[in-house]
Amino acid sequence: MTTLSPIPFTKRLLPDPGAGGLPVMNSLPSSIAVLFLLMLLGTGLGQTTTEVNVGVVLDMDTLVGKVGWTSISLSLSDFYASHPSYLTRLKLNLRDSRSDDVAGAAAALDLIKNESVQAIIGPERSTQADFIIDLGDKANVPIVSFSATSPFLTTAWHPFFVRAAQDDSSQVNAIGALVRAYGWREAVLVYVDNEFRQGLVPSLTDALEQVDSRVTYRSALSPTASDDQILAELYKLATMQTRVFIVHMNPALGSRLFSKAKEAGMMSPGYVWIVTTGMTDLFSLIDGRVVSTAMQGVLGVKTHIPDAPTLDDFIARWKTKFHQDYPSIMDPTMNVFGLWAHDAAFALAMAVEKVGASNYTFLNPGNSTNSTSDLETLGVSENGGVLIRAIMNATGPGLAGNFNLVNRQLQPSAFEIVNVNGNALRKIGFWTTRDGLLKDLVTANMTGSGAYSTSRSNLGTIIWPGDPSDVPKGWEIPTSGQKLKILVPVKGGFNQFVTVTRDPDSNETKVTGYCIDIFNAAMGKLPYYVRRELVPYAKPDGTPAGSYNDMLDQVYFQKYDAVVGDTTIIANRSLYVDFTLPYTESGVLMIVPYVNSGSDNAWVFLKPLTWDLWLTAFLFFVFVGLVVWTLEHRINEDFRGPASHQVGTSFWFSFSTMVFAQRERVVSNLARFVIIVWVFVVLILTQSYTASLSSLLVVQNVQPSITDINELLKSELKVGYQEGSFVYGLLKEMKFANARLLSYGSPEECDLLLSKGSANGGIAAAVDQAPYVKLLLSKTCNKYTTISTLKTAGFGFAFPRGSPLVPDISRAILNVTEGPEMSEIENGWFPQTSSCQASTASVDSSSNSLSLRNFWGLFLIAGGVSLLALFVSIAIFVKSNWHISSGNSFKERIVDLIRRFFQRDMNSHTFRRVVYSLDSITDGVHETRIDVVSDTYNGPLSLTQHNTWTDNAQAEQGTQVVNHNVHTDTTEERVSTDEVIDIELSRVNHENSRT
């Protein structure tokens, strides 16, 4: 087969050859004259035209059928007037289906068998097309419909079906964007119960769900419904709380619906009515009196027809021809179906011309043995496949907008958002698949932002039903006088939350409690009044009628309107009901008794510090002692002596800083710097240890008996839970055996079970929600502590899924909880003393010990300072002794440096040189003065009580000279001359040996 290129729509009129769009004629007489002249010229040139039979199946008793037939006829007249040289001419064969599906199918069968039509335009209704397109598939005859809009007629399953119109489902996203723009959470669908609604209702439901809205009710009206039946259905809708109604029906039934809605008081403020294209595209068919009196404020979605220079001229000529064809109809109005009919006929004529003037024949299958079956003798068009492809490739600007077929279906371009005001539809905005809601379609096409919007700011001013100034919120409390029936739980214990009492005299039920007070306070914050009735969920004898989940099921099955009480918000429940925001603290806690475990632990003094911190501290004590010895032993006599003495002194000095009891002097500046930093570290360590030990001793006295839910699970101890609570299922999911679970109904009963203990028929721990635990601890001060187990969302009020009350009450709850009312309600139901408040704090089961990660920064500073001082000291020592070291090799120098490192530093100021001057000694010839110099003096030294200190030139060099006159006749301590001489000679020899 030959591949056909796209065929553009172009205008070919002699009076206006440069204009674009579909061909039109400026005036009918001039067009006929031009056509006649061109035919004469064509005849003179020997050109002949071929007639191609085309069928038209319409309901000629409807306005859509009449408008469509006139548009098709005028479209072909304009087409051939603008293309006189074309060799094909469509010959229209009209059949009236008389609004009957069987008659429409018979008409199509007659056209194919007896007229050998190459294509069929129509039928008008989707139910007729459902069978006719099967005939087209069998005979390879294209079926081109401009009005069968049902989404159930899918072109994907019928290769010879062309929908030259937009299906109904193309508008559902526009309606969804409108609902989203005003935040309406619910809507009621009102539609005619025939084939017209098929396909739209499921698509519209999905579109609303995508914008977080839902369909609460579907109201189906029979096409033949009486006024009383319509009114009865409207009264039923008025009893519901939803006030957004989406209407999908034909104009005849729709006008009756709105007339009765006005009578039922449903066109008043607070109501929202949205109509589909089924009414807006045929708005001219609605009685003007109904529009002006009963439809004011109605919103709608309408197919957008772009302005075109040729549109007004075509409509004017169309009115003239329509009046000629149907003179009894006064003031006809063109609609979108007439424009689609024009474009469909134009595209078919162009496709036929593209295929050519040959092979418009049928292949007959032969005579059938069953003479009663016309379908078995139905022929097959030879050119059907080529023709359907030519129609698919026809593109261009049509009168109804851009003619563009995708999968043999016209693609939607834009929809108008309209508002009924006066006797007409007032345009307030647009919707496109790319941009969403738009205020100006032309500006959006020029900018091309591409950002999808559902903002109401893109819409113009809307006149709402009843002409109110405020946007309807989309729902109201039902006007039927019914109260909201609200379930409340009946509890045997924990009555502070909900209490149900019955007056035996009046038999009246009174519901009070913490939850009820919060609910009433929140309802008082609403901008409207809600009539309500609290119904206890109880049996006739006053006992609970079921669990909390059973109560929520009553709301899910719409037997009650809400559940108010101490109802916990959990994920499984939220699948069936909607909860308000929580109004209590969240969490599931484990209650365990205190145990005294601190007094009998002999090693408790080790617990304030972890083992890594103990080890690090010990190593640093040793390290600092070593550093101080290194810095001090060459210049400080306190750090000299035998090796064992030096080791003991160093360790003693380092560890004594822990209690600041060190007695050894530190004379080196580097050592002093190290000690300053180390004493600061020791001070922080000791103070932290003292504080941690004090805290640990106190905490151990109130240590919980069980510190973790997993510890409880691994044991064989019994666990308590509140009767009727979801905690039971929670414990079962955690694999607690049923024999280990005991229920309680009140705080007093829970206290009794905990006091007994698991071994005596009680429980070792209770698992419950935070509000209940708070109440229990307020009644049993200093007996129990709590351990966090699981996270929950707290208590909330439950309503049916999608209830519009939920967001309003949630906002009201926030106003209550953030204001002073919340404290007043809590203090009224849960009074607490200060001592009880202190005991409600839960005990953290984690360790209180201090670890190395708490002090590594201090140790880093101390270690860095010590290493820096050590490095500086060694560098100074090597620099001052390297040049005087004995030995020639590097190794010998190192060995000599090590030997010098363990000796005294006689150049240090700490070793002062003292000269003892005695009386001169004479040998008879020379007189010699003897001065004794002590290298071991490190402080005041007195040989006698009469020492005198004199400063001379040697004193400036650090040498103190002491002159002593030795008297042998005194009783003081003396030094003999021989001893002094021996000391001096020994020193001289020692100095000579070093040099």
Side-chain angles (χ1 to χ4, degrees), residues 678-819:
W678 176 242
V679 167
F680 176 73
V681 174
V682 170
L683 176 63
I684 295 178
L685 279 176
T686 54
Q687 295 296 324
S688 301
Y689 174 83
T690 303
S692 180
L693 181 60
S694 301
S695 175
L696 188 61
L697 290 174
V698 173
V699 170
Q700 283 200 342
N701 288 328
V702 292
Q703 192 74 7
S705 57
I706 299 170
T707 60
D708 187 75
I709 189 68
N710 293 322
E711 177 185 346
L712 183 64
L713 180 62
K714 294 176 182 178
S715 67
E716 295 299 326
L717 301 175
K718 294 184 178 180
V719 185
Y721 65 94
Q722 186 181 163
E723 186 176 357
S725 173
F726 77 98
V727 174
Y728 173 76
L730 182 66
L731 294 174
K732 293 290 292 183
E733 290 180 1
M734 298 178 68
K735 307 302 181 183
F736 278 94
N738 195 52
R740 297 177 55 191
L741 302 178
L742 294 179
S743 64
Y744 55 85
S746 65
E748 294 76 16
E749 187 178 355
C750 179
D751 180 30
L752 179 62
L753 292 174
L754 286 170
S755 300
K756 288 182 178 180
S758 180
N760 300 319
I763 57 177
V767 179
D768 215 333
Q769 300 167 79
Y772 302 123
V773 173
K774 184 178 181 180
L775 176 61
L776 174 63
L777 294 180
S778 67
K779 293 178 174 293
T780 57
C781 299
N782 303 322
K783 291 180 61 177
Y784 308 110
T785 186
T786 61
I787 298 173
S788 180
T789 302
L790 291 174
K791 292 291 185 181
T792 58
F795 293 163
F797 306 129
F799 290 85
R801 289 291 303 273
S803 172
L805 280 171
V806 172
D808 287 351
I809 296 180
S810 295
R811 283 188 287 268
I813 289 175
L814 289 178
N815 291 331
V816 173
T817 55
E818 294 176 359

Side-chain angles (χ1 to χ4, degrees), residues 168 171 196 248-251 275-282 301:
D168 289 334
Q171 63 183 310
F196 183 64
H248 178 62
M249 54 185 59
N250 54 57
V275 295
T276 64
T277 56
M279 291 187 66
T280 56
D281 286 346
L282 298 174
V301 175

Side-chain angles (χ1 to χ4, degrees), residues 342-358:
H342 170 278
D343 294 346
F346 188 90
L348 180 60
M350 183 69 75
V352 169
E353 180 64 26
K354 183 68 176 179
V355 172
S358 60

